[in-house]
Amino acid sequence: MVDVKELKKSFGKLQVLNGISFHLDPGKILVLIGPSGTGKSTLLRCLNYLERPSNGIITIGNVTVNARAAKKKEIYHLRSNTSMVFQNYHLFKNKTALENILEPLLSVKKLSPSFANAEALRILDEIGLSEKKDSYPSQLSGGQQQRIGIGRAIAVNPKVMLIDEPTSSLDPELVGEVLHLLYKLAAKHTTMIIATHEMEFARQIADHVLFMEHGQIVEEGDPMTLFTAPKKERTRQFLQKFSLNL
């Protein structure tokens, strides 16, 4: 379960998030859409305190953190309930595909080397990259690197996966392999919060959609309603740029 109340974030005088609130049940998928620079990535980073919110209350699983009184131990436990998939992969360049997935299994989950290795090989098979286990990031395509990034996020068995524009750095022909993997995770009822500019993907995978602009939620709803009959004119204007037959 994810519950967010009045989340705010500012950088100096710039207010990036201005009172974001939402609730997400286990096994459900929330998709964040909206123009670039509207706070989607910052929201994801605030949810696991890669960025410290200025105000608000975040609950993930059985951990609740109030930004005004957050303690290191609380933040650590909150982070342990999440995993992050970044736009630009953030793989260790000096580690193989297998070693990149092994890293959180050893350092975060504290598994024995033999058990961690077996689990990493299982995850590589799940993401369809068993044959690339000894390859370094420089030897992998962008799509393969992102799939390793997703595999690394799967490894910690998080309460919720936070996925930031997973296809934004990919060539168009590589987008499909990453989206296919996310559909597989959705079929397993993996709880996810995804920021994306892939509107058709958002419409198909989401249980709930937030349309954000200027650090606020302009409109939210189930994908069928929001993508076919948005209530706000600004939402309609945004979606029309993607030829969604509104």
Side-chain angles (χ1 to χ4, degrees):
M1 181 268 287
V2 181
D3 193 66
V4 176
K5 297 178 180 177
E6 288 298 314
L7 193 67
K8 296 182 180 180
K9 174 63 182 178
S10 58
F11 295 99
K13 294 182 179 180
L14 178 63
Q15 189 78 34
V16 181
L17 298 176
N18 192 12
I20 301 293
S21 299
F22 64 86
H23 178 88
L24 183 65
D25 289 328
K28 300 298 183 181
I29 298 171
L30 176 69
V31 174
L32 313 175
I33 63 171
S36 296
T38 203
K40 301 186 298 297
S41 294
T42 300
L43 172 56
L44 291 176
R45 293 174 67 85
C46 282
L47 290 179
N48 68 354
Y49 272 71
L50 287 176
E51 295 286 353
R52 188 175 183 120
S54 308
N55 188 62
I57 299 173
I58 300 170
T59 298
I60 300 178
N62 60 357
V63 180
T64 297
V65 178
N66 187 325
R68 291 187 177 273
K71 299 177 181 178
K72 288 184 178 180
K73 187 175 181 180
E74 293 174 331
I75 293 171
Y76 172 80
H77 287 308
L78 186 79
R79 285 177 177 161
S80 70
N81 281 341
T82 71
S83 62
M84 188 90 177
V85 177
F86 299 92
Q87 295 183 31
N88 295 314
Y89 325 134
H90 282 214
L91 300 182
F92 295 105
K93 295 181 180 180
N94 63 334
K95 294 182 182 293
T96 64
L98 178 64
E99 290 168 339
N100 266 280
I101 294 176
L102 272 172
E103 178 67 25
L105 293 169
L106 295 170
S107 63
V108 178
K109 297 195 73 176
K110 307 296 184 183
L111 300 183
S112 68
S114 59
F115 192 86
N117 192 73
E119 180 65 4
L121 289 172
R122 184 196 66 78
I123 292 170
L124 278 169
D125 183 63
E126 181 179 350
I127 63 176
L129 289 174
S130 296
E131 77 284 358
K132 298 293 185 180
K133 67 183 180 69
D134 296 321
S135 298
Y136 290 90
S138 62
Q139 299 170 312
L140 300 171
S141 70
Q144 289 169 337
Q145 290 184 64
Q146 189 61 290
R147 285 154 65 192
I148 295 296
I150 293 170
R152 185 177 58 187
I154 293 170
V156 296
N157 192 28
K159 292 282 196 307
V160 58
M161 290 179 63
L162 308 172
I163 303 174
D164 188 16
E165 300 285 0
T167 61
S168 66
S169 298
L170 301 180
D171 293 332
E173 65 267 24
L174 301 178
V175 168
E177 64 188 67
V178 172
L179 298 186
H180 177 70
L181 177 55
L182 294 177
Y183 283 124
K184 285 178 62 178
L185 292 177
K188 295 172 64 176
H189 303 289
T190 304
T191 308
M192 294 184 274
I193 302 177
I194 307 171
T196 185
H197 286 297
E198 299 282 345
M199 291 301 109
E200 187 57 36
F201 165 69
R203 176 155 59 178
Q204 291 181 17
I205 202 169
D207 293 295
H208 197 74
V209 181
L210 301 184
F211 171 57
M212 294 176 59
E213 188 170 48
H214 304 310
Q216 296 178 311
I217 298 172
V218 176
E219 185 169 355
E220 62 179 298
D222 67 90
M224 178 63 70
T225 301
L226 191 139
F227 282 107
T228 59
K231 297 176 181 178
K232 299 295 181 73
E233 180 59 28
R234 180 64 188 99
T235 312
R236 180 181 296 274
Q237 291 172 354
F238 175 79
L239 294 175
Q240 281 178 336
K241 297 177 181 179
F242 297 89
S243 302
L244 291 176
N245 300 318
L246 299 179

